[in-house]
Amino acid sequence: MSDIITDLRLTPTQIRQATSSVLHVVYRAWSRRAAGQRDRTFEEFVDRIPAWQWPLMFEACALGHLGRRCEARTLAAAGRALHEATRDDPTLAYTAPAVAA
């Protein structure tokens, strides 16, 4: 994600805002999950998010906070389309990226 931070020239405050927005999006998706997935904890839900989606969500949220909403919506729509096209592919890694402690 460092390349996104560098390319968008994000300040520490903007990084925190984008990160908070990503967590909000994920929590909202978890709270609205399908009936068959309701037995999963939040942590289990997070663990099943494909690694490629984390930087995509971060960049879309950062663009939104920068006022570049059209780009954010386009990126989010592309991410949803990619997710739909690949979600049944068992070769994709469904693990969250490592987070520094």
Side-chain angles (χ1 to χ4, degrees), residues 23-61:
L23 292 175
H24 177 78
V25 167
V26 171
Y27 183 79
R28 190 170 181 192
W30 175 74
S31 67
R32 294 179 176 198
R33 64 199 182 282
Q37 298 177 356
R38 293 214 173 118
D39 59 337
R40 289 189 188 138
T41 66
F42 181 71
E43 291 77 18
E44 291 169 328
F45 181 81
V46 167
D47 285 344
R48 293 192 45 86
I49 297 173
W52 60 265
Q53 286 188 348
W54 292 100
L56 190 143
M57 284 190 288
F58 180 81
E59 186 170 3
C61 290

Side-chain angles (χ1 to χ4, degrees), residues 5-93:
I5 293 168
T6 301
D7 291 347
L8 296 178
R9 296 185 178 114
L10 299 177
T11 66
T13 300
Q14 291 166 327
I15 294 167
R16 281 191 301 276
Q17 288 173 331
T19 302
S20 177
S21 292
V22 168
L23 292 175
H24 177 78
V25 167
V26 171
Y27 183 79
R28 190 170 181 192
W30 175 74
S31 67
R32 294 179 176 198
R33 64 199 182 282
Q37 298 177 356
R38 293 214 173 118
D39 59 337
R40 289 189 188 138
T41 66
F42 181 71
E43 291 77 18
E44 291 169 328
F45 181 81
V46 167
D47 285 344
R48 293 192 45 86
I49 297 173
W52 60 265
Q53 286 188 348
W54 292 100
L56 190 143
M57 284 190 288
F58 180 81
E59 186 170 3
C61 290
L63 286 167
H65 283 287
L66 292 172
R68 295 165 60 178
R69 287 174 182 77
C70 184
E71 292 171 84
R73 282 191 299 271
T74 301
L75 185 59
R80 283 191 297 275
L82 184 58
H83 177 72
E84 289 299 317
T86 61
R87 72 175 165 181
D88 295 327
D89 186 343
T91 63
L92 293 176

